[in-house]
């Protein structure tokens, strides 16, 4: 996967103590939770192994025991780390854990990580191919190469594949179309704007019963869980920043962005940074970071996410790029009459900053852009 090495290069400052035990180096985490904090620890561990045992293909063992995975993106990034260790450094990698069955992360039971959860070397050899592509049961995985973006039909073909995959789960056509549109938008941005490969992973969970305060809710609920990520030197907001700095603004809408920057920069601080401004600007309607002007501009991504959120019972949606995160909080994704998205209660992008819940620090530096999108849907009755 192109540029995966940057994940380790950009997070190389922190190291930890590692030692060879029983012919392997072992990473142990008994916290019972697998999250972005765990990923930070794993990256430091891997960098330390390669520093201490440079050029040695020492086996690497990850031990977690019973663990609750906080979200889909966390374990997908871990899949990328294992791929890097196997495909680039040719380590034998073992992953020993027992994840909890949760509607937001049930896709881990279809993950290629299962191939590493044993001593079977033949299974482990299948990991790179399963990492790049898999359609089995409730799981759809594709590694889309950046060079494929030169094919005008690659997104259309992906849309058709996704629609065929989603049909199997009796998801209503409207939802299928919206999910496929969101994914096509994200993949297109990653391959064309990020100039990189794009990893797409989607799973549809089995039906669950919902309980709140020990009261069982009527109906069946299922999860649509999506992770899309690319590794690149280009961060989400870089294109917008470069465009404004070179004064390549040839429409009134871009001129308003520049005026918004003049207002927002008065409030830049530790909790709301210049990087945050460019990230939320990149998510505006008809705004694009490309230097050449395009009439369609920007993305309709946040509108599509909002549409799915409105249909979902619950959701967990966020983006990370560089050191910063943007959370898509349903009640704060409201457009004003001119289609500006303020990410605040007043729906004001031009003269108000985002709500403090929206922009946060990321535990790692993520080189590129990654999205975690979880939607918990109520199962439609058959007669509907």
């Amino acid at each position: 996967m192109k540029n995966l090495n940057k994940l380790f290069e950009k997070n190389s400052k922190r190291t930890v103590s590692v030692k060879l035990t029983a012919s392997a180096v072992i990473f142990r985490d008994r916290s019972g939770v697998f999250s972005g904090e765990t990923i930070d620890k794993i990256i430091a561990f891997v960098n330390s192994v390669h520093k201490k045992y440079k050029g040695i293909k020492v086996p690497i063992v990850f031990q977690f025991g019973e663990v609750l995975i906080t979200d889909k993106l966390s374990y997908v990034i871990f899949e990328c780390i294992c791929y890097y260790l196997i495909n680039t450094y040719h380590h034998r990698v073992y992953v020993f854990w027992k994840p909890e069955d949760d509607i937001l992360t049930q896709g881990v039971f279809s993950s290629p990580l299962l191939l590493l959860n044993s001593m079977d070397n033949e299974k482990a050899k299948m990991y790179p191919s399963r990492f790049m592509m898999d359609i089995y049961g409730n799981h759809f995985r594709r590694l889309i190469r950046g060079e494929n973006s030169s094919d005008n039909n690659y997104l259309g073909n992906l849309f058709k594949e996704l629609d065929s995959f989603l049909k199997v789960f009796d998801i209503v056509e409207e939802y299928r179309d919206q999910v496929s549109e969101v994914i096509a938008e994200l993949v297109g941005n990653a391959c064309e704007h990020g100039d990189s490969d794009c990893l797409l992973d989607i799973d549809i969970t089995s039906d669950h019963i919902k309980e709140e305060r020990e009261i069982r809710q009527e109906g069946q609920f299922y999860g649509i869980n999506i992770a899309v990520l690319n590794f690149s030197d280009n961060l989400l907001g870089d294109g917008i920043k470069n465009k404004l700095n070179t004064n390549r603004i040839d429409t009134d809408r871009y001129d308003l962005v520049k005026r918004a920057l003049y207002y927002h920069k008065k409030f830049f601080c530790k909790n709301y940074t210049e990087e945050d401004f460019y990230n939320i600007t990149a998510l505006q309607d008809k705004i694009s970071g490309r230097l050449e002007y395009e009439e369609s501009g920007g993305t309709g991504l946040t509108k599509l996410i909002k549409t799915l959120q409105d249909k979902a019972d619950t959701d967990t949606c966020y983006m990370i790029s560089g050191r910063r995160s943007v959370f898509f909080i349903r009640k704060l994704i409201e457009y004003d009459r001119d289609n500006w998205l303020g990410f605040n209660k007043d729906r004001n992008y031009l003269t108000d900053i985002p709500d403090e819940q929206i922009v946060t620090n990321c535990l790692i530096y993520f080189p590129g852009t990654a999205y975690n999108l979880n939607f918990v849907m109520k199962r439609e009755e058959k007669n509907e």
Side-chain angles (χ1 to χ4, degrees):
M1 186 177 182
K2 191 176 179 181
N3 299 322
L4 216 168
N5 59 300
K6 296 182 184 297
L7 180 64
F8 300 91
E9 293 171 3
K10 297 291 186 179
N11 295 279
S12 61
K13 290 183 179 180
R14 193 164 79 85
T15 58
V16 295
S17 176
V18 295
K19 65 178 180 179
L20 200 61
T21 304
S23 301
V25 284
I26 302 174
F27 175 92
R28 290 187 179 92
D29 188 316
R30 299 299 186 184
S31 67
V33 177
F34 190 97
S35 65
E37 185 176 351
T38 316
I39 294 296
D40 181 42
K41 293 176 183 177
I42 290 172
I43 293 172
F45 170 80
V46 170
N47 279 332
S48 300
V49 169
H50 288 159
K51 183 177 180 180
K52 185 171 183 178
Y53 301 105
K54 189 174 183 180
I56 302 175
K57 300 175 185 177
V58 56
I60 296 178
V61 179
F62 294 98
Q63 292 184 349
F64 301 97
E66 294 184 1
V67 63
L68 173 66
I69 303 173
T70 57
D71 55 47
K72 184 177 182 73
L73 184 58
S74 294
Y75 79 76
V76 172
I77 293 176
F78 183 44
E79 291 174 346
C80 294
I81 290 171
C82 291
Y83 176 79
Y84 178 75
L85 291 172
I86 294 168
N87 200 60
T88 303
Y89 282 90
H90 308 291
H91 291 285
R92 176 66 172 96
V93 176
Y94 303 87
V95 178
F96 298 123
W97 62 357
K98 294 181 180 179
E100 290 188 24
D101 187 353
D102 185 88
I103 196 168
L104 300 181
T105 58
Q106 195 180 75
V108 74
F109 298 107
S110 302
S111 166
L113 292 170
L114 295 175
L115 299 170
L116 308 179
N117 197 16
S118 75
M119 303 300 290
D120 190 333
N121 194 47
E122 292 305 310
K123 284 186 177 181
K125 289 179 181 178
M126 298 166 58
Y127 187 89
S129 61
R130 283 280 301 278
F131 173 85
M132 291 187 287
M133 185 174 72
D134 185 40
I135 300 181
Y136 181 78
N138 69 338
H139 184 222
F140 182 101
R141 157 70 65 90
R142 283 284 185 275
L143 178 63
I144 299 101
R145 298 294 185 183
E147 53 266 27
N148 290 349
S149 63
S150 59
D151 178 0
N152 293 331
N153 295 322
Y154 85 104
L155 289 180
N157 293 334
L158 176 63
F159 188 99
K160 291 176 184 177
E161 278 192 274
L162 289 168
D163 187 67
S164 298
F165 168 73
L166 295 171
K167 276 181 182 178
V168 176
F169 302 95
D170 293 326
I171 299 174
V172 294
E173 184 176 0
E174 181 185 7
Y175 294 6
R176 294 201 312 266
D177 288 348
Q178 289 163 352
V179 168
S180 298
E181 284 183 50
V182 166
I183 293 172
E185 184 83 27
L186 290 172
V187 171
N189 287 345
C191 292
E192 297 165 29
H193 297 187
D195 188 29
S196 184
D197 299 337
C198 177
L199 182 65
L200 159 66
D201 194 287
I202 177 171
D203 69 90
I204 310 299
T205 73
S206 58
D207 286 351
H208 286 62
I209 299 296
K210 182 180 179 183
E211 294 184 359
E212 290 184 353
R213 295 182 180 178
E214 301 181 356
I215 299 175
R216 181 169 290 188
Q217 306 296 305
E218 288 188 12
Q220 299 285 329
F221 296 81
Y222 65 96
I224 301 176
N225 303 317
I226 304 164
V228 181
L229 62 159
N230 72 290
F231 297 96
S232 171
D233 285 326
N234 300 325
L235 303 183
L236 178 66
D238 285 353
I240 298 297
K241 182 177 182 178
N242 294 337
K243 194 166 190 174
L244 295 185
N245 287 343
T246 55
N247 288 315
R248 296 291 296 272
I249 49 174
D250 42 14
T251 69
D252 290 341
R253 198 161 180 83
Y254 286 93
D255 187 56
L256 287 173
V257 168
K258 199 161 189 178
R259 295 184 192 181
L261 173 60
Y262 182 78
Y263 174 85
H264 281 244
K265 67 182 181 181
K266 293 183 289 186
F267 300 92
F268 289 161
C269 61
K270 179 181 178 181
N271 296 324
Y272 179 53
T273 68
E274 182 180 15
E275 187 176 351
D276 293 327
F277 172 79
Y278 290 117
N279 284 342
I280 66 167
T281 301
L283 295 166
Q284 300 295 328
D285 188 42
K286 291 187 171 59
I287 294 294
S288 171
R290 293 185 178 185
L291 287 179
E292 70 274 16
Y293 171 65
E294 296 175 321
E295 184 60 36
S296 59
T299 76
L301 173 64
T302 43
K303 287 185 176 180
L304 291 167
I305 291 174
K306 172 65 173 173
T307 300
L308 285 168
Q309 285 177 318
D310 288 342
K311 293 177 172 64
D313 181 75
T314 57
D315 65 272
T316 305
C317 301
Y318 67 87
M319 177 282 308
I320 60 175
S321 186
R323 280 282 179 194
R324 304 297 290 173
S325 307
V326 176
F327 281 81
F328 300 95
I329 297 173
R330 187 186 314 200
K331 64 182 180 181
L332 297 175
I333 300 182
E334 297 289 347
Y335 289 81
D336 69 10
R337 62 184 181 182
D338 296 317
N339 276 335
W340 292 108
L341 181 59
F343 288 102
N344 51 48
K345 293 181 179 66
D346 294 330
R347 300 186 296 174
N348 183 355
Y349 163 75
L350 299 176
T351 56
D352 199 358
I353 65 174
D355 189 275
E356 61 183 7
Q357 303 173 71
I358 293 289
V359 292
T360 64
N361 197 45
C362 186
L363 289 168
I364 63 170
Y365 182 97
F366 190 87
T369 305
Y371 289 86
N372 180 91
L373 306 175
N374 299 117
F375 305 99
V376 177
M377 303 292 207
K378 187 173 183 180
R379 178 69 67 186
E380 298 280 344
E381 297 293 335
K382 293 294 184 181
N383 61 3
E384 292 182 1

